[in-house]
Amino acid sequence: APNGEDKIRQQPGYIIAKWRDSFKASVGMNYHYDDKLTLRTGYQYDKTPIPSPQYRHPSAPDSNRHMFSVGGNYVLKKNMNVDFAYSLVMLEDAESRYRDPCRGVFLEDENGFSADKPQDCTGNGGTFRGRFYDTYIHMLGVQLNTRF
């Protein structure tokens, strides 16, 4: 480096997550209609690990999820059957107020001013505010099963 000074290098980017423990709960039911057809339905609740809007990054805007599923199994012949399913995942509305304290290689302190010495961070800094709403996922699945 010129004049014997060390070069300042940006470190790999990272997201401050502070995820918490989470859980998933589900319930389902099978209904054996006849020897050829079995119908299925189910519900699942999945709690987000994101603790608050301050940690909801715009690249991973997770929230609590509810999933409703219907489907079944149909026997085509003795050694062959087909599974089919449709699921709707509904994400709860969520706010984001994520703040990236990195400005290049300088980490802002609680007053918003850059620290004097470089930190191990990278980014453009800033606060990302937003609202994620009306988010749905539709999934359709079909699977052919055979036994040899």
Side-chain angles (χ1 to χ4, degrees):
N3 302 330
E5 296 177 16
D6 290 331
K7 288 184 179 179
I8 297 174
R9 296 183 184 168
Q10 287 188 324
Q11 301 297 320
Y14 62 88
I15 296 172
I16 301 168
K18 296 204 178 184
W19 284 356
R20 62 181 179 208
D21 289 341
S22 185
F23 68 91
K24 180 189 301 188
S26 60
V27 62
M29 179 177 69
N30 290 333
Y31 175 69
H32 185 74
Y33 182 76
D34 61 24
D35 288 342
K36 289 207 169 263
L37 180 63
T38 300
L39 300 173
R40 298 183 176 118
T41 188
Y43 168 77
Q44 174 180 296
Y45 174 76
D46 194 359
K47 178 84 171 151
T48 182
I50 297 174
S52 67
Q54 289 77 14
Y55 297 104
R56 185 168 287 110
H57 192 273
S59 69
D62 189 43
S63 64
N64 298 331
R65 294 172 298 283
H66 303 268
M67 183 166 72
F68 302 90
S69 298
V70 294
N73 175 275
Y74 186 77
V75 176
L76 299 170
K77 55 186 180 178
K78 184 178 179 181
N79 65 340
M80 187 178 294
N81 62 67
V82 63
D83 288 311
F84 52 92
Y86 168 75
S87 295
L88 172 65
V89 181
M90 301 183 329
L91 283 79
E92 293 180 3
D93 295 352
E95 299 284 328
S96 176
R97 290 190 300 275
Y98 184 84
R99 183 173 179 278
D100 182 355
C102 291
R103 301 268 184 187
V105 295
F106 294 96
L107 185 65
E108 289 186 348
D109 63 19
E110 59 276 353
N111 298 318
F113 300 104
S114 293
D116 290 334
K117 68 182 207 174
Q119 303 292 319
D120 289 340
C121 73
T122 186
N124 296 324
T127 300
F128 304 92
R129 291 187 177 99
R131 187 171 142 247
F132 303 96
Y133 59 94
D134 293 339
T135 306
Y136 302 95
I137 302 168
H138 299 274
M139 296 183 290
L140 185 61
V142 178
Q143 174 177 301
L144 180 65
N145 308 298
T146 187
R147 285 177 283 225
F148 298 100

